[in-house]
Amino acid sequence: MKKSVLITPGDGIGPEVTREAVKVLNACARLAGLTLSLEEAPIGGAAIEAAGNPLPPEVLNKALAADAVLLGAVGGPRWDKLPMVQRPEKGLLAIREGLGLFANLRPAKIYGDMAGASTLKPEVVDGADLMVVRELTGGIYFGQPRGITEKDGRREGFNTMRYNETEIERIARVGFQTAMRRHKRLVSVDKANVLEVSALWREVVTAMAPEFPEVTLEHMYVDNAAMQIIRAPKRIDTLVTGNLFGDILSDAAAMITGSIGMLPSASLGEGRGLYEPVHGSAPDIAGLDLANPLATILSVGMMFRYSFDLPAEDDRINRAVSAVLAKHRTEDIMASGKTPVGCARMGDLVVEALERG
Ligand code: NAD
């Protein structure tokens, strides 16, 4: 099998963490007998410096031609004074839009003996492994009409939450398929007791369930879902929801793990995926070999599972990361009894663990 990957390191710690993730990508491809063709291109601030545009058209074309994109992070104080439309972060929004990415997948998982890093009790989170599938291009963030008007001498702000059947079906399908690749349990989150848009959501998701007879489907109101994530995260395997609810729940779920340096993500469209750590460009530690590369490395694992359909390689990367964490930690996740390592060493250790099996 042959796959092409576009690497867009971006700014700040982006290039450092991406470099380590590419080591893991190459090592894992070797072990899987996968032939990789890799190309690198600038995005964000790096692209502003190189081409005066946070996403030059030729970079988007390369992304469209690739099977998957690995992105580091964008942004930094150097570009903070630019008008909003010229900022590095615009490059990120433009590539997501250009690739038609409508589904965002964010796992929240406790690796190895990391339960102590959570703000929740270790016995509540130990073994937690849940996935939030969030709709990314619709819902209240994009719905029309929207605006601020004046009514009876007072200003009034308003937004519209809309989903049509096609949009709901498309994201629900990703939810069911993701559950199929995991433990076959899907929670669909809505507010069907109050919102018509949620009533339609629930109806459409329910109607799709017979297509996936192996998946156990449960519906949950968003307020209850927020409680369950904090109270009993192990209850949840895969969760699918709209843009607004997903924005909030994915951050809540992520924080049960306790560290921003450990959170990978995937954004999927029709046939293409973008993989990136959840964290930003961390300009405060850029270039100091202090960044934790594991979020980007785990994003490579997601690439094997969701873009290359090689879930065993994702499992292999997850096992290697857990094995390394038993002894070694970057500064952000340091714990007593562990050996401190920098970004580059952490990448090398994961490769060594992969090769040991
Ligand atoms: P941030 O995620 O970059 O950093 C927040 C804190 O977490 C910092 O203290 C940082 O040192 C630490 N941190 C982040 N990633 C880490 C890692 N891998 N290892 C160790 N520590 C890590 O968020 P911020 O400070 O709000 O934003 C900094 C810049 O990043 C801004 O320009 C912002 O716009 C941009 N940003 C980009 C993305 C993205 O590219 N997806 C996301 C969020 C923020």
Side-chain angles (χ1 to χ4, degrees):
M1 190 167 32
K2 200 174 166 196
K3 295 288 177 190
S4 61
V5 181
L6 181 69
I7 315 288
T8 52
D11 312 314
I13 61 169
E16 309 165 46
V17 293
T18 311
R19 195 174 308 126
E20 301 316 307
V22 169
K23 286 181 191 167
V24 172
L25 176 61
N26 279 322
C28 209
R30 245 187 341 264
L31 292 167
L34 176 73
T35 308
L36 277 181
S37 126
L38 302 185
E39 195 175 357
E40 196 174 306
I43 193 168
I48 294 173
E49 300 304 317
N53 180 343
L55 182 67
E58 62 274 19
V59 177
L60 177 59
N61 285 338
K62 284 179 184 180
L64 284 163
D67 292 306
V69 179
L70 178 67
L71 192 143
V74 299
R78 186 186 172 121
W79 305 283
D80 276 353
K81 294 205 167 54
L82 289 175
M84 210 50 106
V85 289
Q86 292 166 21
R87 296 263 286 264
E89 291 78 359
K90 204 75 197 154
L92 201 58
L93 299 179
I95 196 168
R96 286 180 186 151
E97 193 186 339
L99 294 178
L101 307 174
F102 64 86
N104 182 240
L105 273 63
R106 276 178 51 176
K109 177 173 171 175
I110 302 289
Y111 296 91
D113 58 353
M114 289 278 296
S118 175
T119 48
L120 300 184
K121 290 183 190 132
E123 63 269 27
V124 173
V125 293
D126 198 13
D129 177 4
L130 67 97
M131 173 73 81
V132 177
V133 179
R134 165 191 170 192
E135 202 286 328
L136 213 51
T137 55
I140 197 162
Y141 291 173
F142 296 92
Q144 295 287 347
R146 63 190 296 159
I148 299 174
T149 53
E150 192 150 330
K151 211 170 158 188
D152 304 328
R154 269 186 308 214
R155 287 186 305 150
E156 182 180 271
F158 59 97
N159 292 85
T160 307
M161 191 188 274
R162 286 178 180 271
Y163 274 115
N164 65 39
E165 290 171 295
T166 312
E167 289 171 309
I168 300 169
E169 255 177 52
R170 190 170 73 159
I171 190 69
R173 189 168 302 284
V174 176
F176 279 109
Q177 287 167 344
T178 304
M180 280 298 290
R181 288 175 155 140
R182 292 171 48 85
H183 301 290
K184 302 186 178 161
R185 290 185 286 121
L186 181 64
V187 174
S188 171
V189 172
D190 59 44
K191 189 72 182 169
N193 50 344
V194 179
L195 302 173
E196 284 77 4
V197 58
S198 278
L200 180 67
W201 177 285
R202 191 172 282 218
E203 197 185 307
V204 172
V205 174
T206 305
M208 284 179 75
E211 272 185 61
F212 300 90
E214 287 176 61
V215 176
T216 309
L217 173 67
E218 181 186 354
H219 297 281
M220 224 182 248
Y221 296 133
V222 62
D223 42 344
N224 185 24
M227 279 199 287
Q228 296 306 329
I229 287 171
I230 305 301
R231 197 184 70 86
K234 283 180 262 189
R235 238 199 98 187
I236 301 172
D237 170 34
T238 306
L239 184 158
V240 66
T241 190
N243 206 343
L244 172 65
F245 300 156
D247 191 6
I248 299 164
L249 294 181
S250 59
D251 269 13
M255 274 304 105
I256 67 170
T257 68
S259 170
I260 193 164
M262 300 286 302
L263 301 170
S265 81
S267 300
L268 307 178
E270 309 288 355
R272 214 171 285 99
L274 173 79
Y275 299 84
E276 57 180 321
V278 167
H279 61 71
S281 59
D284 52 331
I285 55 167
L288 301 176
D289 196 36
L290 286 175
N292 183 347
L294 293 177
T296 319
I297 288 171
L298 292 164
S299 302
V300 164
M302 295 186 80
M303 183 186 292
F304 276 98
R305 184 176 296 267
Y306 295 102
S307 276
F308 304 161
D309 205 18
L310 293 171
E313 303 313 312
D314 184 25
D315 292 342
R316 201 200 293 260
I317 291 174
N318 274 260
R319 277 197 309 276
V321 166
S322 292
V324 171
L325 286 170
K327 289 195 184 131
H328 296 91
R329 299 287 174 89
T330 44
E331 198 176 86
D332 58 311
I333 50 171
M334 193 54 199
S336 67
K338 311 290 180 188
T339 307
V341 292
C343 181
R345 180 79 187 118
M346 182 55 103
D348 290 339
L349 285 166
V350 175
V351 171
E352 285 165 26
L354 272 176
E355 285 169 350
R356 270 199 313 273

